[in-house]
Amino acid sequence: MSEKAVFDADITLLKDKVVSIIGYGNQGRAQGHILRENGIDVIIGNIRDEYWDQAVKDGFKVYEIDDAIRRSQVALLLVPDEVAPDVYYKKIEPEVRKKEHFVLDFASGYNIMYGFIKPQPNTDVILVAPRMIGRGILNLHKQKRGYPVLLGVAQDSSGKAWDYAKAIAKGIGAIGLPGGIAIKSSFEEETLLDLLTEHSWAPLLIAAMQAYFDVVTEEYGVSPEAAILELYASGELSDIAKAMAEIGLFEQMKFHSRTSQYGQFTRARKFYNRVKEIVREEAARIWSGEFAREWSLDQAFGRVVLQRLWKIMTSSKLAKAEDRLYRQLGRR
Ligand code: NDP
């Protein structure tokens, strides 16, 4: 195992601090609960909406975001990446400027990598990025199990930034428990890995499913129901994904028939070079900031492209057939 893997850490550094969770959403709720269970003094900073009410119901002290920053020495910034710069400059930075020292933790590398947020020199800027959705984190926590996180340090003002990152990883239940692992990484690496999934194999899977559906229904007379059940509605795909996580990509292959193994391996080899070219191109667009500029532009124009694509995708033959099938199956 590389020396980048961390399995446990000391949480003492957080014990005499107030830790604010800024944004009580998917990640905020999960991370806040576990930190509190681990004996940390946690407060919530949120806008006044249903998440605020939820946090109060869950027994937390909830404050306006600037007030929560004022009251804390460590903050976990867990609002969506696209609103984080606005929240940071309007609510967080004015308070941090008044402090001697502050620790600001991110769950994603995006805003720091591209300079959308440039923290003050008195701030430790750290990354503790779960590779898991909030609900998954809470489920594992109930089973007393950890989960994977990537760690990073962009600015070490106190000289203890890595220790803070590891302490938070332990505090949010990622490490120190079976199945838990933290990997020393960086804001840039985390962003590349995260976006490259979204720009390569995940959309290739969507495109392949759409093409498969169109070919078998339009050119071979297959019923849309049979095609969608084969593609994903049966749940076989999620079983395979689960087996990949649990026993590995290649070990799970042994559960497939020999015909399937032969077909999958030969075609994987055949497609590899073309796909590698796509992956390489997309990685370069992420690394250079070209994608961040493209997405910022769409956000500045009211997300026109994203909204159009939702319309186009959900009016496709596949989406309509899926809606019919899922109604018949009582899933909708
Ligand atoms: P959510 O979409 O769940 O939102 C979190 C909170 O931010 C909510 O309380 C939301 O309230 C609040 N919020 C939204 N807009 C504003 C605003 N303009 N001002 C103030 N607060 C606002 O976020 P996630 O938990 O999904 O993501 C948080 C971070 O975690 C991100 O950096 C993300 O990249 C990272 N992350 C997310 C994962 C995931 O599975 N979702 C996995 C790993 C990392 P409201 O909606 O009411 O406005």
Side-chain angles (χ1 to χ4, degrees):
M1 184 59 72
S2 101
E3 73 277 8
K4 293 203 167 177
V6 180
F7 295 96
D8 206 354
D10 186 357
I11 205 176
T12 320
L13 209 48
L14 299 177
K15 287 277 184 186
D16 60 343
K17 310 273 188 315
V18 176
V19 176
S20 59
I21 301 281
I22 305 302
Y24 197 68
N26 287 315
Q27 288 293 327
R29 190 170 184 212
Q31 297 191 23
H33 270 265
I34 301 173
L35 274 170
R36 182 172 63 180
E37 258 184 47
N38 282 330
I40 306 300
D41 188 358
V42 179
I43 60 171
I44 309 297
N46 210 86
I47 43 178
R48 284 192 181 266
D49 60 5
E50 71 270 26
Y51 290 89
W52 174 297
D53 302 336
Q54 182 66 54
V56 172
K57 222 169 109 193
D58 293 344
F60 284 105
K61 288 184 196 144
V62 191
Y63 303 95
E64 297 288 346
I65 292 172
D66 47 0
D67 201 7
I69 297 293
R70 203 173 304 133
R71 291 165 185 270
S72 57
Q73 293 82 46
V74 178
L76 276 54
L77 183 56
L78 299 173
V79 297
D81 291 338
E82 45 302 6
V83 306
D86 195 48
V87 171
Y88 176 78
Y89 285 110
K90 288 194 181 135
K91 307 278 180 185
I92 299 177
E93 192 177 90
E95 295 304 325
V96 172
R97 279 176 183 276
K98 297 177 201 157
K99 294 176 187 274
E100 201 177 313
H101 181 256
F102 198 64
V103 179
L104 187 58
D105 165 76
F106 289 78
S108 130
Y110 194 87
N111 283 306
I112 294 292
M113 171 166 180
Y114 297 116
F116 295 129
I117 294 179
K118 292 197 175 85
Q120 290 294 300
N122 67 348
T123 307
D124 283 359
V125 183
I126 61 176
L127 174 77
V128 182
R131 319 319 286 161
M132 172 111 14
I133 60 171
R135 228 174 34 184
I137 290 176
L138 280 175
N139 281 341
L140 283 168
H141 188 65
K142 276 188 206 130
Q143 301 164 37
K144 297 200 178 353
R145 293 187 65 79
Y147 53 92
V149 287
L150 293 189
L151 306 181
V153 168
Q155 190 167 281
D156 189 357
S157 150
S158 68
K160 292 189 202 142
W162 278 108
D163 295 329
Y164 275 111
K166 287 187 260 178
I168 291 174
K170 167 108 173 183
I172 63 171
I175 54 173
L177 291 167
I181 181 169
I183 308 287
K184 283 189 169 177
S185 176
S186 66
F187 283 72
E188 286 81 3
E189 245 182 54
E190 193 277 337
T191 306
L192 174 69
L193 293 173
D194 194 39
L195 292 179
L196 194 54
T197 285
E198 293 158 9
H199 300 182
S200 62
W201 64 264
L204 281 167
L205 187 65
I206 298 174
M209 285 190 178
Q210 285 192 310
Y212 177 112
F213 177 84
D214 291 343
V215 169
V216 297
T217 56
E218 288 165 12
E219 297 170 27
Y220 292 86
V222 173
S223 73
E225 293 83 354
I228 294 172
L229 283 164
E230 174 65 27
L231 280 169
Y232 54 86
S234 69
E236 188 188 12
L237 179 65
S238 56
D239 286 344
I240 292 172
K242 197 158 182 282
M244 280 181 190
E246 283 168 3
I247 60 169
L249 176 58
F250 299 105
E251 274 303 303
Q252 66 81 31
M253 261 292 179
K254 294 178 185 163
F255 297 136
H256 300 243
S257 70
R258 283 212 184 86
T259 312
S260 169
Q261 294 169 16
Y262 176 81
Q264 292 192 56
F265 282 153
T266 51
R267 270 59 189 171
R269 297 299 303 156
K270 184 172 133 192
F271 299 147
Y272 176 79
N273 285 332
R274 271 184 278 169
V275 172
K276 188 172 185 186
E277 207 41 54
I278 295 173
V279 174
R280 190 177 279 133
E281 276 173 24
E282 293 302 329
R285 281 197 189 107
I286 294 164
W287 203 247
S288 68
E290 205 181 318
F291 169 75
R293 186 189 56 187
E294 177 191 328
W295 173 221
S296 293
L297 201 65
D298 195 43
Q299 290 175 77
F301 282 93
R303 298 196 284 261
V304 258
V305 175
L306 181 60
Q307 284 174 34
R308 280 294 302 152
L309 289 176
W310 262 106
K311 250 196 184 137
I312 292 168
M313 290 299 216
T314 51
S315 54
S316 66
K317 284 186 190 160
L318 172 58
K320 286 183 176 155
E322 179 197 278
D323 193 48
R324 279 194 303 275
L325 176 65
Y326 276 44
R327 281 177 201 285
Q328 283 167 352
L329 291 172
R331 294 181 191 173
R332 246 169 231 166

